[in-house]
Amino acid sequence: MGLCFSRGDRSTPRRRPSKRITNHSAAADGGVGSKRWTRMRSSRKEENLIHERALAAAILFQQQLQNGGGTAPFDRSTSLRYPTGNSKKNQALPRSSSSRARSLTDPLLQPHQLVNQDIKLENLETNHFVLVHGGGFGAWCWYKTIALLEEGGYKVTAVDLTGSGIHSFDTNSITSLSQYVKPLTEFLEKLTDGEKVILVGHDFGGACISYAMELFPSKVSKAVFLAAAMLTSGQSALDMFSEKVEPNDLMRQAQVFLYANGNNQSPTAIDFDKSLLRDLLFNQSPSKDVALASVSMRPIPFSPVLEKLSLSEANHGSVRRFYIQTLEDNAIPLPVQECMINKNPPEQVLLLKGADHSPFFSKPQALHKVLVEISKIP
């Protein structure tokens, strides 16, 4: 969810560049031959069935919202998933839902091949990932990442923020960032003393995890910004995306402002023109994932986008930060990502080649490998 408007040029002090790591997952896949493609073809039928069920569930949920069922209560707004004790680490992964040929930058590898076997998960500071979606998305967008991490032995929590995913709250009624992030802060508050997690924020979820880092720095081992808003104190997401870098005409064309309080009042939410979703957010993603997103995405509350963060060096600044750049991103283009990195350098910058704004769809294997690498950085 990028909001790009032009302002006057600003000069900024030079900062020491962060360490940058390019993902070279193709090198590890050089010896895989025809067996891989046989495995991929044999699992296509099963994978198609999985996607059909996912799409059917998403369509049913959308119909319930349209029929006034959106106010039905839900038992919880956080999707908790844990590794099953009887899962076989060596079983083959199902094929990606994409009908295109797999890129060498996103090879078909099994989870145990992506994990450094020299380092045991129980020896890590934490093996618990908390995934925070971006504006308009929900916990549903992480389904590939959840499956890969759990197969590798990690514990995963994917959160639906207020008014997102299956959370039943009306997006137009959200008036603050604290209200929007409440499912995340409530989850962190319930962690036991000494328990830590790795926060991963995508898109506007970057501002959300920054807010949480300020409140619960002792409970966050590392923070990962995935094509995300990485703000400094006193900035809002709107401020960051308003920096003069490159004009984003596609974003302006795709944005649809909603005025639930009347056209003479401020916007209450932002939606996207469905016909432009693929070009803006999913230009490298499989068609089935684009279809899933088109029936699952919800409007983005506008007030949290305007809210300026108050971040301290003692709290927010004490958490280790990592930024993952998406090099084929049309929503938050590379110059905008570079601008955020230069103004607020993280510990490391990692690159995902060939990834659009939704790498959990377009480059799930490469994204998984990078997340595992970050978890094992001492």
Side-chain angles (χ1 to χ4, degrees):
M1 189 281 304
L3 299 172
C4 301
F5 302 92
S6 296
R7 285 185 178 175
D9 293 329
R10 298 180 180 178
S11 59
T12 58
R14 294 175 61 87
R15 299 288 186 98
R16 179 176 60 84
S18 302
K19 182 178 180 182
R20 294 175 184 266
I21 300 177
T22 305
N23 180 262
H24 295 294
S25 55
D29 196 40
V32 180
S34 60
K35 291 183 180 179
R36 179 211 292 175
W37 300 109
T38 301
R39 182 171 69 250
M40 290 163 63
R41 287 196 299 269
S42 65
S43 61
R44 179 180 299 177
K45 184 176 181 181
E46 178 184 356
E47 187 69 6
N48 285 342
L49 180 61
I50 293 173
H51 276 278
E52 288 173 3
R53 290 174 178 174
L55 286 172
I59 291 171
L60 178 61
F61 172 66
Q62 188 72 10
Q63 290 174 344
Q64 289 175 340
L65 288 179
Q66 294 173 350
N67 295 332
T71 57
F74 291 89
D75 292 336
R76 61 179 183 178
S77 63
T78 303
S79 174
L80 297 176
R81 292 173 169 83
Y82 303 93
T84 56
N86 58 355
S87 62
K88 297 181 180 179
K89 290 188 176 180
N90 293 327
Q91 70 183 54
L93 282 175
R95 185 186 186 277
S96 167
S97 61
S98 174
S99 59
R100 57 182 170 81
R102 182 172 294 277
S103 167
L104 289 178
T105 60
D106 192 39
L108 184 63
L109 299 177
Q110 297 185 22
H112 71 276
Q113 292 176 284
L114 296 171
V115 177
N116 185 343
Q117 297 299 302
D118 294 333
I119 304 177
K120 296 181 179 180
L121 295 186
E122 56 266 27
N123 295 332
L124 300 178
E125 183 179 23
T126 180
N127 67 347
H128 188 176
F129 280 93
V130 176
L131 308 178
V132 182
H133 62 80
F137 292 86
W140 53 266
C141 73
W142 298 105
Y143 77 94
K144 293 181 182 180
T145 302
I146 291 170
L148 288 168
L149 287 172
E150 288 184 346
E151 276 299 316
Y154 286 88
K155 181 178 176 180
V156 187
T157 301
V159 180
D160 275 324
L161 299 177
T162 305
S164 305
I166 63 171
H167 194 285
S168 60
F169 198 82
D170 180 12
T171 305
N172 291 291
S173 300
I174 298 173
T175 59
S176 67
L177 184 59
S178 62
Q179 183 183 13
Y180 182 58
V181 184
K182 189 174 181 181
L184 174 60
T185 54
E186 286 184 338
F187 172 80
L188 292 174
E189 190 173 18
K190 293 176 182 177
L191 293 177
T192 59
D193 291 341
E195 186 177 359
K196 292 190 174 186
V197 298
I198 299 174
L199 289 181
V200 182
H202 170 247
D203 186 80
F204 185 52
C208 298
I209 67 172
S210 288
Y211 182 90
M213 290 156 62
E214 178 65 24
L215 294 179
F216 303 100
S218 64
K219 296 185 177 183
V220 183
S221 171
K222 296 167 185 169
V224 182
F225 293 79
L226 175 62
M230 187 169 63
L231 308 179
T232 59
S233 186
Q235 276 189 320
S236 68
L238 182 62
D239 291 334
M240 176 53 68
F241 293 118
S242 297
E243 296 287 351
K244 185 177 180 181
V245 280
E246 286 186 353
N248 193 340
D249 293 333
L250 181 60
M251 174 61 73
R252 292 191 181 94
Q253 293 171 21
Q255 288 174 348
V256 179
F257 289 90
L258 306 180
Y259 297 84
N261 297 328
N263 292 336
N264 59 335
Q265 302 295 321
S266 298
T268 52
I270 309 166
D271 208 350
F272 289 119
D273 183 339
K274 293 294 189 288
S275 67
L276 297 176
L277 275 182
R278 177 186 290 275
D279 291 338
L280 181 66
L281 304 176
F282 312 113
N283 49 297
Q284 301 293 325
S285 296
S287 296
K288 291 179 180 178
D289 290 325
V290 180
L292 174 63
S294 68
V295 297
S296 303
M297 292 189 71
R298 296 176 63 181
I300 306 159
F302 193 59
S303 291
V305 176
L306 301 177
E307 190 168 326
K308 297 181 185 295
L309 294 183
S310 178
L311 307 174
S312 66
E313 192 63 30
N315 291 343
H316 176 273
S318 67
V319 180
R320 302 171 67 184
R321 290 179 294 114
F322 300 81
Y323 198 97
I324 302 177
Q325 288 186 294
T326 44
L327 303 189
E328 302 296 330
D329 196 325
N330 288 339
I332 304 182
L334 199 56
V336 179
Q337 297 180 44
E338 291 282 359
C339 180
M340 290 187 285
I341 290 168
N342 292 336
K343 288 193 171 185
N344 190 17
E347 182 175 323
Q348 287 188 17
V349 176
L350 303 100
L351 312 181
L352 284 181
K353 291 183 177 180
D356 57 21
H357 188 59
S358 306
F360 34 74
F361 290 155
S362 60
K363 294 293 173 186
Q365 298 277 350
L367 172 59
H368 171 72
K369 183 175 186 296
V370 170
L371 291 177
V372 169
E373 288 176 352
I374 291 174
S375 75
K376 295 190 173 182
I377 295 174

